[in-house]
Amino acid sequence: MIEHVTEPGWVEVERYLTDVVVRPDPAHERALTSAVEAGMPAIEVAPNAGKLLKMLVQVSGARRVLEIGTLAGFSSMWMAQGLPDGGRLVTCEYLQKHADVARANLDAAGVGDKVEIKVGAALDTLPTLEAEEPFDFVFIDADKENDSNYLDWAIRLGHPGTVIVIDNVIWDGSILEPERDEANAPGIIRVLDMLGQDPRLDSTAIQTVGSKGWDGFAIARVR
Ligand code: SAH
Ligand code: DHB
Ligand code: MG
């Protein structure tokens, strides 16, 4: 874990954009409160990023979404809200406690029937999904050391046109100074290399600042 360092103004501006433009609904607010009450780390995506995920699901026309890293279901909730009727989200979470909190939050938001939470190490769950229909959209947001393994699975479980989003690809700039976080930075550097080199992908990466510090996300499309 790297501490979120925030410059003066970033958090206030994010709050303004959240209130004026993003307009989260009460279910989003309750999900954040429930995570704090359950003693979970506040490492969910910011509301403006959650809304972006919802809109990417919508504009890509995705009907089947895969998420790796559920936490309290905050990003899951946004993405499920972008699904059409009959759409489905499968989300992988290592900890049963996180899955329980997420289940309650997703049910309370009225999207529980669209979401299946698979508890266990994602690298154990992902091979079992080969038997299902391919996924149209994948959000990778779990243990960073496995980012490139998850990206490989996302491609294998996808199809030409599948959209893949990877969170936390800047990690407070530690991608240029990996000695600052030897647990996470090397995995992020590996996945950035793969995004640029893998012939199966077109990719870009975007830096962000705000309540989650200096970070960013990558977007790839399977060729
Ligand atoms: N996507 C969430 C945040 C996820 S935080 C949101 O934005 O709301 C990362 C989550 O990944 C944590 O809940 C953690 O328990 C889970 N995780 C860590 N290692 C994992 C693994 N190997 N398999 C599945 N989940 C894992
Ligand atoms: C951490 C994980 C995340 O997915 C995130 O967005 C921020 C922090 C962490 O493990 O510290
Ligand atoms: Mg994240």
Side-chain angles (χ1 to χ4, degrees):
M1 165 117 145
I2 211 159
E3 189 151 348
H4 297 317
V5 177
T6 56
E7 298 289 330
W10 290 357
V11 179
E12 287 76 9
V13 167
E14 181 182 307
R15 191 168 300 128
Y16 180 90
L17 296 176
T18 301
D19 292 345
V20 172
V21 181
V22 176
R23 310 288 306 265
D25 62 41
H28 297 118
E29 315 282 4
R30 281 199 305 271
L32 294 180
T33 312
S34 78
V36 173
E37 285 169 359
M40 292 158 70
I43 55 175
E44 69 286 330
V45 295
N48 55 346
K51 182 84 174 273
L52 175 64
L53 289 169
K54 170 186 172 176
M55 294 173 64
L56 288 171
V57 168
Q58 288 173 322
V59 299
S60 66
R63 301 186 61 84
R64 285 180 52 78
V65 174
L66 171 64
E67 176 177 62
I68 305 170
T70 316
L71 195 66
F74 188 69
S75 53
S76 325
M77 185 178 296
W78 281 108
M79 292 190 286
Q81 290 174 334
L83 283 170
D85 287 346
R88 205 140 181 82
L89 170 80
V90 176
T91 181
C92 304
E93 172 54 51
Y94 185 65
L95 294 176
Q96 183 68 53
K97 176 188 156 184
H98 292 183
D100 292 344
V101 173
R103 171 48 63 197
N105 285 330
L106 294 160
D107 288 348
V111 294
D113 56 329
K114 293 185 161 167
V115 181
E116 187 178 354
I117 306 176
K118 303 266 197 189
V119 179
L123 284 178
D124 293 334
T125 302
L126 292 165
T128 71
L129 299 175
E130 274 183 314
E132 298 191 9
E133 277 176 67
F135 291 92
D136 312 307
F137 189 97
V138 183
F139 180 47
I140 298 173
D141 190 21
D143 49 320
K144 311 311 169 194
E145 65 196 272
N146 277 312
D147 270 355
S148 55
N149 295 324
Y150 297 147
L151 178 56
D152 187 61
W153 272 109
I155 299 165
R156 289 163 63 173
L157 296 172
H159 55 75
T162 289
V163 176
I164 303 170
V165 178
I166 307 177
D167 196 25
N168 308 117
V169 298
I170 307 300
W171 209 252
D172 195 36
S174 68
I175 52 170
L176 298 188
E177 295 173 67
E179 62 281 0
R180 284 174 39 216
D181 188 346
E182 284 167 6
N184 296 293
I188 300 171
I189 291 166
R190 267 197 308 279
V191 84
L192 290 171
D193 285 341
M194 184 173 168
L195 284 162
Q197 304 284 342
D198 195 300
R200 298 170 295 178
L201 297 173
D202 275 316
S203 310
T204 189
I206 301 290
Q207 299 185 73
T208 57
V209 296
S211 62
K212 308 297 175 178
W214 177 25
D215 213 326
F217 58 89
I219 306 190
R221 179 183 181 279
V222 179
R223 288 188 171 138

